[in-house]
Amino acid sequence: MKEIVLINITGPDRPGLTAAITGILARAGVGILDIGQAVIHDTLSFGILVEMSGDASHSDVLKDVLFRGYELDQQVRFTPVSADDYGRWVTGQGKARHIVTLLARRITAEHIARVSEITARYGLNIDQIDRLSERIPDGMPADQGKGCIEFSVRGEPEDAAALRTEFLAISQELNVDIAFQQDSVFRRNRRLVVFDMDSTLIDAEVIDELAKAAGVGDQVAEITERAMRGELDFKASFRERMALLKGLPESVLEEIGASLRLTEGAETLIGQLRRLGYKTAILSGGFSYFAEGLQKRLGIDYVYANSLPTRNGVVTGEVEEPIVDGERKAQLLRELAQREGISLEQTIAVGDGANDLPMLSIAGLGVAFRAKPLVKQSAKQAISTLGLDGILYLLGFRDREGF
């Protein structure tokens, strides 16, 4: 008669411990049904689910494991598992799987408690918890840290929309970001990332900077803000803002381009994406003059943005079609995916304004980055607490993997 036993081993982490324990089991021909190991602050937690015959010789194997564990300063516990319990565990492996990613400058017990309470309430079981971020040095300023905890959960939420609503609510309450996504084959197999430019890749709205130089800053900034909140039609607001720039000296463009600052984490993210073989694109309702400068600086593969016509050394205030608005961005994303021979599920779109929502909604992973409330509520995922390189955590990458 077969017996199933769960062996739990805890204690100081020691080199060779896994080999010593599994060596004992191997010599006895014990079958391994499951195995897992974690080390937290040099303390080991090691579990092995084994299958063995019920004769006396296998009882001796467990004694050998117990004695060897004692020699290695480990606590060893044996738990019999019934056939019914094992059958339920096997059946559960076929359930849907999701990833919950918690991001913050500092992760606290309250963050984890609130996230785990919500997942349990919606019928999801946490199978594994991992820290993706690096260890935070003692004394690092609170606003400079970078924390990420990933929960692997099993099951299908009873109400996915309500679950996301609750995650969004505690994100705002606790100043954290919480992403909820299906754990599919595509998660670490995205191939194309497209970015909005203004207030996403760069920490400015270029058209507002141009307007300040033209002496119409307040007027244009108000129109820009309303357009990004989704209160105005983008094309109409773009034409209105362009008309206000008429007569701006062309020499101002170079000055503003030189002053633009990259958003936190942008250079790290683009560099890692290039290293991993991703294609990147800027799809911007801003201007190609500035987007092409970023392309050279960061090594972006594709750029699509609006023209800024000049004549006789000044901006004309005219608009050239087609205007890159929200629908145009979504169309360009589809075209780029087709050009690269990939599915939309393998794409990532990142933006902050209402005109980014169409592309965020069709991408495999749509990320609202430091976005307006309407965009944050409507996008699949949102990052507001960390920099752009936080997107790498949503793909499952760890700091120790080199970013």
Side-chain angles (χ1 to χ4, degrees), residues 94-268:
K95 291 184 178 180
R97 306 191 70 84
H98 294 84
I99 297 293
V100 180
T101 310
L102 171 64
L103 305 99
R105 294 295 181 184
R106 287 285 195 279
I107 303 293
T108 70
E110 182 178 10
H111 298 157
I112 296 174
R114 297 284 291 275
V115 169
S116 56
E117 185 273 328
I118 290 174
T119 56
R121 188 149 38 82
Y122 281 84
L124 301 173
N125 185 70
I126 298 174
D127 282 343
Q128 189 170 331
I129 302 176
D130 289 312
R131 175 176 54 83
L132 304 188
S133 52
E134 64 185 352
R135 297 168 181 170
I136 298 176
D138 188 37
M140 175 176 281
D143 61 346
Q144 294 180 18
K146 200 168 61 169
C148 177
I149 300 293
E150 179 183 278
F151 302 78
S152 176
V153 302
R154 178 167 27 95
E156 200 65 60
E158 297 165 0
D159 187 336
L163 172 68
R164 291 180 184 277
T165 298
E166 289 208 36
F167 278 155
L168 181 60
I170 67 169
S171 294
Q172 295 170 341
E173 177 189 345
L174 301 178
N175 193 29
V176 299
D177 294 315
I178 304 169
F180 179 75
Q181 56 183 314
Q182 186 177 6
D183 190 9
S184 71
V185 67
F186 294 112
R187 181 167 175 249
R188 289 189 65 151
N189 193 33
R190 318 284 187 189
R191 306 312 311 153
L192 170 67
V193 188
V194 302
F195 298 91
D196 174 44
M197 179 175 67
D198 297 63
S199 298
T200 299
L201 275 180
I202 57 174
D203 192 19
E205 290 286 338
V206 171
I207 198 166
D208 291 350
E209 299 305 310
L210 294 172
K212 291 176 187 175
V216 291
D218 291 343
Q219 293 170 262
V220 169
E222 181 183 359
I223 298 169
T224 300
E225 182 67 19
R226 293 181 64 194
M228 293 300 101
R229 291 199 303 260
E231 297 173 5
L232 296 175
D233 172 74
F234 182 84
K235 286 186 177 180
S237 70
F238 183 71
R239 289 190 179 94
E240 186 178 353
R241 287 176 288 171
M242 282 292 288
L244 290 168
L245 297 180
K246 184 177 179 179
L248 179 68
E250 191 174 2
S251 59
V252 172
L253 306 187
E254 185 175 351
E255 296 173 15
I256 290 177
S259 70
L260 296 177
R261 296 182 305 166
L262 292 173
T263 304
E264 178 192 358
E267 199 160 10
T268 298

